């Protein structure tokens, strides 16, 4: 450090150029009565599952002197069974890979297929971590277009792929933060465009698929070795604190990510906990049904109050519009002042609310009703 008072320590650290001036991922973690800002599942795990986790972790604890199963064979086998049962497409151990959250899955994919001198594209607004992890892995980030109504503009996206020839294409469906799903035909068209341009890897991020009115795009894996479907236990399984994400793809993709994964990346405790949660899939998916009903109620009630609402296939709803340069941020603050934390994703004019318990959603709806009255007074 030079001790120059006009320079912050940041300015003086030899941080990589592409990270300079960027902000870290940072949804506020505020202590307020109703937290509906990070698309978590509001229901705590049921007691029977908590007991099962304790049992499984107790067993695992006896062997913590040893490294965990590096290949997480039992867990991947159970994840493959879950996907086969719910996704209308048979996958096996060889098709599935797991890591600490789907963020780590995405990081491993970018370390394998992106990296210095390579690029990735996403159609924004979309999940901001796709761009951030790209930069973190030295992959150039290309912000692709979206229509005014937040659907993917197929022709413009095909053009963006043809012109930029990215190495990795991200398609998030249902999309975060907008909530809308991407039709299978669009995904297929973009896959074809990506193969014609490079060929590149297409990552379909299905973090919210269990909440969708439609079905998983898992069957599209058939005959498409450059397609990857990524999933998480953070949302539908109500296990955001567990940090367990996974992917399904051609076995060659699973082999390729082995080159970048850290040895023993998934702890024995995480594997044991995830296995316990998978034993309780049926109970957990019942909560998903309740959340879908609440999500649909939020859409209807927000529209009745007079907000614009983007169609949602996720466990959250995007609503607006808030006029003015800082309109959405001011509305965010006013909702927070009423004890409800929602998300300002930086999409001008819009905010996002995660579906909570019925009581939490009522508190949110009361807050935005008051806000609307105030705005129209
Ligand atoms: C679209 C999308 N993908 C991936 C993730 C990351 O999830 P995980 O908790 O599995 O890292 C999120 C989290 O909000 C998300 O919205």
């Amino acid at each position: 450090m030079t001790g120059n008072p006009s320079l912050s320590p940041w300015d003086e650290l030899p941080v990589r150029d592409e990270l300079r001036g960027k902000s870290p991922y940072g949804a506020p973690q505020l202590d307020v009565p109703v937290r509906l800002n990070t698309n978590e599942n509001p229901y705590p795990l049921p007691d029977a599952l908590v007991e099962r986790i304790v049992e499984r972790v107790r067993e695992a604890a006896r062997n913590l002197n040893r490294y965990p199963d590096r290949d997480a064979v039992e867990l991947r086998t159970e994840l493959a069974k879950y996907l086969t049962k719910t996704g209308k497409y048979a996958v096996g151990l060889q098709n599935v890979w797991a890591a600490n959250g789907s963020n780590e899955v995405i990081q491993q994919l970018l370390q394998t297929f992106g990296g210095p001198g390579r690029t990735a594209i996403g159609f924004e607004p979309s999940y901001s971590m796709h761009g951030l992890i790209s930069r973190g892995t030295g992959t150039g980030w290309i912000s692709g277009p979206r229509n005014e109504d937040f659907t993917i503009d197929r022709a413009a996206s095909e053009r963006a792929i043809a012109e930029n020839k990215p190495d990795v294409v991200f398609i998030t469906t249902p999309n975060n933060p907008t909530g809308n799903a991407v039709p299978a035909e669009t995904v297929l068209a973009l896959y074809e465009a990506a193969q014609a341009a490079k060929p590149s890897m297409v990552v379909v991020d299905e973090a919210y698929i269990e909440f969708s009115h439609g079905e998983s795009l898992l069957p599209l894996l058939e005959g498409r070795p450059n397609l990857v479907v990524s999933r998480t236990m953070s949302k539908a399984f109500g296990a955001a604190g567990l940090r367990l994400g996974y992917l399904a793809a051609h076995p060659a993709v699973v082999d390729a990510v082995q080159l970048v994964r850290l040895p023993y990346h998934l702890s024995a405790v995480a594997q044991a906990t995830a296995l316990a949660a998978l034993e309780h899939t049926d109970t957990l998916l019942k909560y998903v049904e309740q959340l879908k009903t609440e999500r649909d109620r939020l859409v209807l009630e927000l529209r009745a109050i007079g907000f614009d609402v983007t169609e949602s296939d996720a466990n959250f709803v995007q609503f607006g519009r808030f006029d003015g340069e800082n309109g959405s941020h001011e509305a965010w603050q006013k909702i927070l002042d009423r004890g409800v934390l929602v998300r300002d994703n930086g999409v001008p004019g819009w905010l996002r609310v995660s579906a909570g318990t019925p009581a939490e959603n009522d508190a949110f709806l009361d807050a935005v009703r008051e806000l609307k009255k105030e705005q129209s007074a």
Side-chain angles (χ1 to χ4, degrees), residues 101-103 106 127 172 176 205 207-208 232 234-235 243-245:
S102 51
N103 283 331
I106 291 162
Y127 182 47
T172 311
N176 179 15
D205 186 335
Y208 300 97
T232 180
S234 296
K235 315 294 175 180
R243 311 306 302 128
L244 203 294

Side-chain angles (χ1 to χ4, degrees), residues 7-333:
L7 292 177
S8 79
W10 249 106
D11 294 324
E12 295 194 74
L13 284 175
V15 169
R16 283 161 43 197
D17 291 342
E18 63 270 34
L19 301 182
R20 219 162 253 293
K22 296 286 182 297
S23 309
Y25 174 87
Q29 290 190 306
L30 303 178
D31 191 13
V32 292
V34 180
R35 284 194 294 170
L36 299 175
N37 70 326
T38 49
N39 299 343
E40 290 152 330
N41 190 314
Y43 295 106
L45 298 180
D47 288 346
L49 170 52
V50 172
E51 287 313 311
R52 187 64 187 129
I53 290 173
V54 171
E55 270 172 36
R56 280 231 182 220
V57 170
R58 186 182 295 118
E59 253 169 64
R62 291 208 180 88
N63 292 315
L64 283 182
N65 56 316
R66 301 286 178 195
Y67 284 112
D69 175 4
R70 201 171 41 212
D71 298 327
V73 169
E74 190 185 359
L75 175 59
R76 285 163 57 210
T77 304
E78 291 307 314
L79 287 167
K81 282 188 201 157
Y82 168 70
L83 288 175
T84 301
K85 193 169 152 199
T86 55
K88 304 223 165 106
Y89 184 66
V91 289
L93 167 69
Q94 309 306 326
N95 302 102
V96 174
W97 180 242
N100 295 282
S102 51
N103 283 331
E104 191 180 50
V105 169
I106 291 162
Q107 176 169 285
Q108 291 178 346
L109 288 169
L110 283 162
Q111 286 174 322
T112 310
F113 300 106
R118 293 188 166 208
T119 59
I121 191 170
F123 305 97
E124 296 188 306
S126 190
Y127 182 47
S128 62
M129 287 307 298
H130 294 155
L132 278 172
I133 303 173
S134 292
R135 290 189 186 104
T137 56
T139 314
W141 178 248
I142 300 159
S143 179
R146 234 169 229 274
N147 289 318
E148 276 278 290
D149 64 358
F150 302 111
T151 54
I152 287 189
D153 180 334
R154 199 160 126 182
S157 303
E158 283 171 342
R159 256 195 323 276
I161 291 172
E163 279 162 18
N164 292 290
K165 303 191 186 332
D167 298 276
V168 181
V169 177
F170 285 102
I171 305 172
T172 311
T173 179
N175 188 44
N176 179 15
T178 58
N180 52 316
V182 183
E185 311 81 72
T186 305
V187 174
L188 282 176
L190 300 190
Y191 182 85
E192 291 310 323
Q195 301 321 298
K198 194 83 190 193
S200 38
M201 296 303 293
V202 176
V203 180
V204 177
D205 186 335
E206 285 196 337
Y208 300 97
I209 194 65
E210 286 93 342
F211 300 96
S212 180
H213 298 100
E215 282 172 359
S216 167
L217 297 182
L218 217 52
L220 299 190
L221 290 178
E222 184 64 41
R224 294 186 184 84
N226 289 8
L227 193 70
V228 181
V229 175
S230 82
R231 293 286 197 95
T232 180
M233 293 182 78
S234 296
K235 315 294 175 180
F237 282 82
L242 162 61
R243 311 306 302 128
L244 203 294
Y246 53 106
L247 64 76
H250 190 280
V253 175
V254 175
D255 286 350
V257 294
Q258 309 299 311
L259 298 169
V260 299
R261 61 116 170 84
L262 293 174
Y264 316 109
H265 68 298
L266 258 188
S267 82
V269 172
Q271 294 186 40
T273 310
L275 279 163
L278 282 159
E279 286 176 24
H280 286 249
T281 300
D282 292 346
T283 315
L284 295 171
L285 291 184
K286 282 192 195 123
Y287 293 131
V288 168
E289 287 311 309
Q290 289 178 32
L291 284 167
K292 285 167 76 172
T293 307
E294 280 298 300
R295 179 266 324 273
D296 290 341
R297 177 168 82 95
L298 282 173
V299 170
L300 286 177
E301 297 216 18
L302 281 164
R303 284 190 178 140
I305 295 168
F307 288 105
D308 284 348
V309 179
T310 313
E311 288 305 332
S312 176
D313 271 283
N315 65 338
F316 56 84
V317 177
Q318 179 177 260
F319 65 105
R321 301 174 177 212
F322 302 100
D323 297 334
E325 206 183 319
N326 278 325
S328 31
H329 193 71
E330 284 162 14
W332 175 85
Q333 183 63 55

